[in-house]
C-alpha cells in the first residue's frame, strides 16, 4: 500500500509533486480536480474521491484548510469514517486548533487507525523547493513510520512529542512569523511616507543582522508591490485567530498578535483576501490615510 495526499492548494500541490517525483507510490485527490494535474504529471495517481485514496494507502496526509474540510473528507461522524481510517495512519499537516487535532487523533484511534501531526513551517517557495520544516507529533511507533515519508517535502523534521505538540509548536512559530511580517510592512510604510529610497531600505535590511530568508522575500514584495500569494491574507488571518484563541485558552497575554489580528482583518475587509500576507501594508496605509484626512478636516 502506498501514500495518499488530500488537499492540493497553494502548499499542498508542490508538496505532493515532490512526493511523486521522489518515487513515492502516491494517490492524490482534491475537491477542485484541475489542481491534481501537477501531481499527476509528476507521477501520482488521481483518485476518484477520498475513499479511494484511503483504500489505496497505508498513510494518508491531509493538507486541508480547516476543521470542516477535514471532517468532510474523512466522513467524521458517519459510518464512512471508520471504514476509511481503520488500519491507516492519518497525518494532519494543516493548521487547526490544538484541541481539534487532539480530538481528531482520539477519534481516529477509536476507529482503529493511527494518527500523527506534521504541520509545516514555510510558504509556497520552500514547498516547491522541498525545504519545509515539519513539526512531527504522535506515538513513537507512528512517527517512526511517518518521518521518512516527509523527507521529499521537508529539509528537516523536528520531533514535538505527543499530540497536540505539533499544533502548538506551529502556533508558536506562526506568532513570530505574523508579527515579524507585520512589523516589516509597517517599517516599509514608514520609510515610504518619509520619502526614503525603498531600494536602499531593502539593501540595508538585506545586509544587516535582522535579515532572514523570510524578510528578504517579504521586503522585496513590499518594495516591488508584488503581492502574489505565498501565504494568503485569508489563511494568515485564520492562523492569527488560532493563535489568539489558544492564548485565551491558556490565559496567556498576546498583545502583538492581537494588534496583527486587527490589521489582517482590516486588510481582508479592504478586499485583499487572496493577496500575500505582506499586503497587510494596505491596512496600515488606510490607517495613515484616515489620520491625514482627520487632520485636514480639523
Amino acid at each position: 500500500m502506498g501514500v495518499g495526499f488530500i488537499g492540493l492548494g497553494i502548499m499542498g500541490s508542490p508538496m505532493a509533486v515532490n512526493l511523486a517525483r521522489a518515487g513515492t507510490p502516491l494517490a492524490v485527490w482534491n475537491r477542485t480536480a484541475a489542481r491534481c494535474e501537477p501531481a499527476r504529471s509528476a507521477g501520482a495517481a488521481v483518485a476518484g474521491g477520498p475513499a479511494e485514496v484511503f483504500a489505496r494507502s497505508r498513510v494518508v496526509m491531509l493538507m486541508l484548510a480547516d476543521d470542516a474540510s477535514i471532517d468532510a473528507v474523512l466522513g467524521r461522524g458517519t459510518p464512512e469514517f471508520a471504514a476509511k481510517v481503520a488500519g491507516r495512519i492519518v497525518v494532519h499537516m494543516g493548521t487547526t486548533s490544538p484541541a481539534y487535532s487532539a480530538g481528531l487523533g482520539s477519534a481516529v484511534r477509536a476507529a482503529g487507525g493511527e494518527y500523527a501531526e506534521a504541520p509545516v513551517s514555510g510558504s509556497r517557495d520552500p514547498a516547491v523547493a522541498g525545504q519545509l520544516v515539519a513539526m512531527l507529533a504522535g506515538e513513537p511507533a507512528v512517527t517512526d513510520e511517518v518521518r521518512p515519508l516527509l523527507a521529499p517535502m521537508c529539509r528537516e523534521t523536528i520531533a514535538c512529542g505527543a499530540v497536540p505538540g505539533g499544533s502548538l509548536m506551529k502556533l508558536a512559530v506562526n506568532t513570530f512569523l505574523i508579527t515579524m511580517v507585520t512589523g516589516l510592512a509597517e517599517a516599509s510604510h514608514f520609510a515610504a511616507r518619509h520619502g526614503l529610497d525603498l531600494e536602499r531600505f531593502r539593501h540595508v535590511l538585506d545586509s544587516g543582522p535582522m535579515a532572514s530568508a523570510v524578510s528578504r522575500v517579504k521586503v522585496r514584495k513590499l518594495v516591488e508591490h508584488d503581492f502574489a500569494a505565498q501565504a494568503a491574507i485569508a489563511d494568515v488571518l485564520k492562523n492569527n485567530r488560532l493563535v489568539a484563541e489558544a492564548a485565551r485558552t491558556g490565559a496567556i497575554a498576546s498583545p502583538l498578535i492581537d494588534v496583527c489580528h486587527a490589521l489582517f482583518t482590516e486588510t481582508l475587509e479592504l478586499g485583499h483576501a487572496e493577496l500575500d500576507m505582506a499586503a497587510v501594508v494596505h491596512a496600515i496605509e488606510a490607517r495613515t490615510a484616515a489620520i491625514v484626512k482627520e487632520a485636514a478636516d480639523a
Side-chain angles (χ1 to χ4, degrees):
M1 298 178 73
V3 174
F5 199 104
I6 298 176
L8 303 174
I10 288 177
M11 296 287 289
S13 178
M15 291 166 70
V17 165
N18 284 331
L19 278 173
R21 285 177 177 166
T24 307
L26 187 67
V28 302
W29 182 82
N30 192 77
R31 184 175 57 184
T32 303
R35 292 184 176 175
C36 295
E37 289 310 309
R40 186 204 300 272
S41 297
V46 177
E52 184 181 342
V53 173
F54 277 89
R56 298 176 63 158
S57 307
R58 160 66 179 161
V59 177
V60 178
M61 301 177 181
L62 306 178
M63 191 64 179
L64 295 164
D66 52 33
D67 308 4
S69 299
I70 296 169
D71 289 345
V73 160
L74 295 177
R76 194 173 174 191
T78 74
E80 296 175 8
F81 179 71
K84 287 175 180 173
V85 306
R88 309 298 193 273
I89 297 176
V90 177
V91 183
H92 173 27
M93 301 192 74
T95 306
T96 61
S97 73
Y100 172 82
S101 183
L104 178 60
S106 295
V108 168
R109 288 187 291 271
E114 299 291 346
Y115 180 78
E117 297 174 319
V120 293
S121 178
S123 57
R124 179 171 176 79
D125 285 356
V128 170
Q131 294 293 300
L132 298 169
V133 175
M135 291 154 273
L136 181 61
E139 294 296 322
V142 176
T143 57
D144 285 349
E145 187 169 349
V146 170
R147 177 182 290 273
L149 299 174
L150 302 176
M153 302 178 287
C154 302
R155 64 177 173 83
E156 191 166 357
T157 296
I158 298 170
C160 293
V163 173
S167 291
L168 285 166
M169 188 67 75
K170 177 65 186 293
L171 296 186
V173 169
N174 278 354
T175 300
F176 179 51
L177 172 66
I178 292 168
T179 55
M180 176 177 63
V181 174
T182 305
L184 186 59
E186 183 172 328
S188 71
H189 177 65
F190 178 90
R193 293 293 296 186
H194 281 88
L196 298 179
D197 183 302
L198 292 186
E199 280 297 339
R200 290 181 182 174
F201 167 73
R202 172 183 171 181
H203 190 187
V204 170
L205 284 180
D206 285 352
S207 301
M210 296 175 292
S212 68
V214 171
S215 75
R216 288 189 173 99
V217 170
K218 298 307 183 186
V219 75
R220 178 188 60 77
K221 283 184 165 293
L222 288 159
V223 170
E224 297 176 3
H225 296 279
D226 166 22
F227 297 119
Q230 295 173 321
I233 289 290
D235 294 331
V236 175
L237 178 58
K238 181 204 81 170
N239 292 343
N240 195 319
R241 174 181 56 79
L242 290 172
V243 173
E245 289 174 352
R248 301 293 173 271
T249 300
I252 299 166
S254 57
L256 295 181
I257 209 70
D258 293 342
V259 170
C260 292
H261 189 275
L263 288 168
F264 277 92
T265 299
E266 291 164 26
T267 309
L268 187 77
E269 291 170 350
L270 289 168
H272 303 310
E274 302 304 317
L275 299 185
D276 186 76
M277 66 184 299
V280 71
V281 71
H282 292 316
I284 299 169
E285 290 167 347
R287 289 196 182 192
T288 292
I291 292 170
V292 171
K293 183 178 185 303
E294 182 178 353
D297 292 344

